[in-house]
């Protein structure tokens, strides 16, 4: 039975999901899950007893253990961007609401409440075995996947998996997942603009911006629209591919943020190889891969925020719902001014006439 038929007739059970996998061996799991009308977590769970095992997302055990396994590849994605970093997990900082993994290569901000379902997965590919740890939120969407590499210490990896295993490894049980609330913008109320501009100008750290949004109960794009061009201005949608090509050709080190409900993953440094493939623009470097759907980009903004020294400039891309896809900064050490080459790049990206943008939206 084809995947389309299974999805059309009823919500599939585990055996039917595995059958669909066998019949569609080259299809990406995320795409096949969508075709079956299930979440990716349910898809992976259907293989418990068939190459997958349930594990607990205990941050202290997980990330302390990952610091012993050496080189891995950490993958964090959202609907429009995939961010892959290869290297070791280095310094873990735990926290109840947010945790950090700090390192030269793997640098993340993680939100434990959204790491709900976990699986250790092994897949045979010819003579090779591909190993990964995969974590999903309450809606069955992936928050982060960690893949073993040829240089990974497999003894340490195996020991970590054994420590994380849950007692219940009963096959054919799919997790309970709930539908996510669709993202919706928080539009400003009357009189917010003056308060926003005053507080924006008074910031001393870009991280204060989140608190500003929360206090005023507005979304990021609404804040940009109200801030005035001294602080935020819209760019042409082609600005993000242009940014990547210019940063690569001019050797400008950048910070690239991609996130979802459970994890934000950051690249800091130069990039070199930028390639197009269909609607995707890709960075393909030894320790950093980025895959970005340019056709999902609806708005791009250049944004200035006050910092400890001067201000910093970000380039941020959003989808048609106003949800952030990707964010870029120039690499900057605390206490240092923003790099002149990054600022020059950001400020010279093609601006978009706001009146034209609003007319196109209508």
């Amino acid at each position: 039975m084809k995947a389309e038929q299974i999805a059309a007739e009823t919500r599939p059970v585990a055996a039917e999901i595995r059958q669909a996998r066998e019949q569609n061996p080259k299809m990406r799991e995320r795409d096949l899950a969508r075709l079956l009308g299930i979440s990716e977590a349910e898809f992976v769970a259907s293989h418990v007893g068939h190459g997958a095992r349930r594990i607990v997302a205990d941050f202290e055990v997980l990330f302390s253990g990952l610091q012993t396994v050496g080189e891995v590849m950490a993958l964090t994605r959202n609907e429009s961007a995939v961010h892959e970093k290869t290297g070791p997990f280095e310094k873990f900082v735990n926290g109840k609401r947010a945790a950090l993994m700090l390192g030269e290569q793997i640098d993340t901000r993680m939100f434990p409440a959204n790491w709900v379902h976990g699986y250790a997965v092994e897949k045979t590919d010819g003579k090779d075995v591909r190993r990964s740890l995969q974590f999903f939120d309450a809606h069955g969407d992936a928050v982060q996947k960690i893949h073993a590499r040829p240089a990974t210490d497999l003894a340490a990896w195996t020991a970590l998996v054994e420590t994380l295993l849950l007692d219940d490894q009963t096959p054919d049980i799919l997790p309970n997942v709930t539908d996510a609330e669709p993202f919706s913008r928080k539009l400003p109320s009357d009189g917010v603009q003056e308060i926003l501009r005053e507080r924006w100008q008074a910031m001393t750290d870009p991280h204060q911006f989140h608190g500003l949004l929360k206090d005023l109960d507005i979304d990021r794009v609404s804040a940009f629209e109200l801030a005035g061009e001294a602080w935020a201005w819209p760019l042409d949608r082609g600005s993000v591919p242009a940014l990547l090509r210019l940063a690569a050709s001019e050797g400008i080190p950048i910070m690239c943020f991609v996130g979802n409900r459970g994890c934000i993953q950051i690249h800091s440094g130069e990039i070199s190889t930028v390639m197009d493939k269909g609607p995707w623009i890709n960075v393909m470097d030894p320790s950093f891969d980025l895959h970005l759907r340019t056709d999902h980009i609806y708005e791009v903004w250049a944004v200035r925020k006050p910092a400890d020294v001067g201000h910093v400039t970000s380039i941020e891309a959003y989808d048609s719902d106003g949800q952030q896809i990707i964010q870029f900064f120039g690499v900057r050490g605390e206490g240092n001014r923003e790099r002149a080459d990054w600022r020059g790049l950001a400020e010279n990206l093609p601006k978009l006439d706001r009146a034209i943008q609003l007319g196109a939206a209508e």
Side-chain angles (χ1 to χ4, degrees):
M1 184 179 292
K2 293 187 177 294
E4 297 92 333
Q5 293 173 302
I6 294 172
E9 292 183 6
T10 182
R11 191 172 186 81
V13 297
E16 291 172 324
I17 298 169
R18 294 194 298 271
Q19 182 183 32
R21 168 80 286 178
E22 293 173 1
Q23 294 173 344
N24 300 271
K26 296 184 178 180
M27 186 177 290
R28 293 182 183 275
E29 292 181 356
R30 182 182 174 93
D31 296 334
L32 183 52
R34 181 173 291 142
L35 188 61
L36 290 167
I38 60 173
S39 68
E40 191 177 1
E42 292 169 284
F43 186 95
V44 175
S46 73
H47 290 78
V48 168
H50 302 267
R53 291 182 287 174
R54 297 186 190 91
I55 57 175
V56 62
D58 182 322
F59 272 31
E60 194 64 56
V61 176
L62 171 64
F63 291 109
S64 297
L66 282 169
Q67 290 175 120
T68 70
V69 306
E71 183 180 278
V72 295
M73 188 272 276
L75 184 155
T76 300
R77 70 166 300 155
N78 54 44
E79 193 64 30
S80 306
V82 184
H83 191 292
E84 303 173 12
K85 289 289 293 184
T86 298
F89 280 86
E90 295 182 62
K91 183 181 179 181
F92 174 60
V93 181
N94 206 356
K96 291 183 178 180
R97 294 187 178 180
L100 311 176
M101 179 58 71
L102 304 174
E104 184 177 347
Q105 293 300 336
I106 298 178
D107 184 6
T108 60
R109 310 292 177 265
M110 301 163 291
F111 311 103
N114 290 308
W115 292 54
V116 178
H117 308 290
Y119 301 91
V121 180
E122 293 189 359
K123 299 178 186 175
T124 302
D125 185 8
K127 295 182 180 180
D128 298 325
V129 178
R130 292 182 291 158
R131 298 172 174 86
S132 63
L133 306 178
Q134 304 187 21
F135 298 94
F136 303 86
D137 65 17
H139 313 298
D141 295 326
V143 292
Q144 191 178 48
K145 298 180 182 180
I146 301 150
H147 295 263
R149 304 278 292 176
T152 302
D153 182 335
L154 290 183
W157 177 281
T158 300
L160 173 59
V161 170
E162 292 296 326
T163 304
L164 294 169
L165 285 177
L166 291 169
D167 292 336
D168 186 359
Q169 298 295 330
T170 307
D172 297 339
I173 297 176
L174 303 185
N176 292 320
V177 297
T178 59
D179 291 335
E181 288 288 331
F183 181 84
S184 60
R185 292 189 55 184
K186 295 182 178 179
L187 301 178
S189 57
D190 293 340
V192 163
Q193 185 174 52
E194 184 177 350
I195 301 170
L196 177 127
R197 291 186 177 188
E198 288 177 359
R199 289 193 54 182
W200 193 310
Q201 190 168 351
M203 285 193 296
T204 57
D205 186 319
H207 295 98
Q208 295 167 355
F209 186 63
H210 177 72
L212 186 155
L213 296 178
K214 186 176 181 180
D215 290 347
L216 299 181
D217 196 30
I218 59 173
D219 65 273
R220 297 178 72 92
V221 172
S222 292
F224 302 158
E225 292 170 343
L226 295 176
E229 289 219 357
W231 298 110
W233 60 95
L235 300 175
D236 184 88
R237 295 179 191 177
S239 293
V240 173
L243 181 162
L244 292 169
R245 294 190 181 97
L246 285 166
S249 65
E250 298 180 17
I252 300 173
I254 62 171
M255 299 182 73
C256 172
F257 294 66
V258 170
N260 53 52
R261 284 182 289 267
C263 187
I264 299 170
Q265 190 163 292
I266 307 161
H267 165 78
S268 299
E270 294 185 12
I271 59 174
S272 58
T273 305
V274 179
M275 301 185 298
D276 294 296
K277 186 174 182 180
W280 297 87
I281 188 163
N282 308 278
V283 176
M284 305 290 287
D285 287 346
S287 63
F288 175 50
D289 283 5
L290 173 70
H291 312 286
L292 173 65
R293 284 284 299 258
T294 57
D295 57 331
H296 286 188
I297 296 174
Y298 183 75
E299 290 187 63
V300 183
W301 288 83
V303 184
R304 292 188 184 121
K305 301 188 189 80
D308 51 338
V309 179
H311 70 262
V312 296
T313 311
S314 62
I315 304 299
E316 309 186 14
Y318 293 82
D319 65 20
S320 59
D321 293 325
Q323 191 163 16
Q324 188 181 87
I325 296 172
I326 195 165
Q327 183 182 41
F328 300 93
F329 288 87
V331 171
R332 181 189 77 102
E334 188 175 351
N336 297 326
R337 290 192 175 275
E338 183 171 64
R339 291 176 60 104
D341 51 5
W342 164 256
R343 185 173 290 185
L345 186 162
E347 293 183 348
N348 284 285
L349 291 170
K351 293 185 178 181
L352 183 68
D353 187 309
R354 188 62 177 151
I356 294 175
Q357 183 191 32
L358 291 173
E362 293 172 359

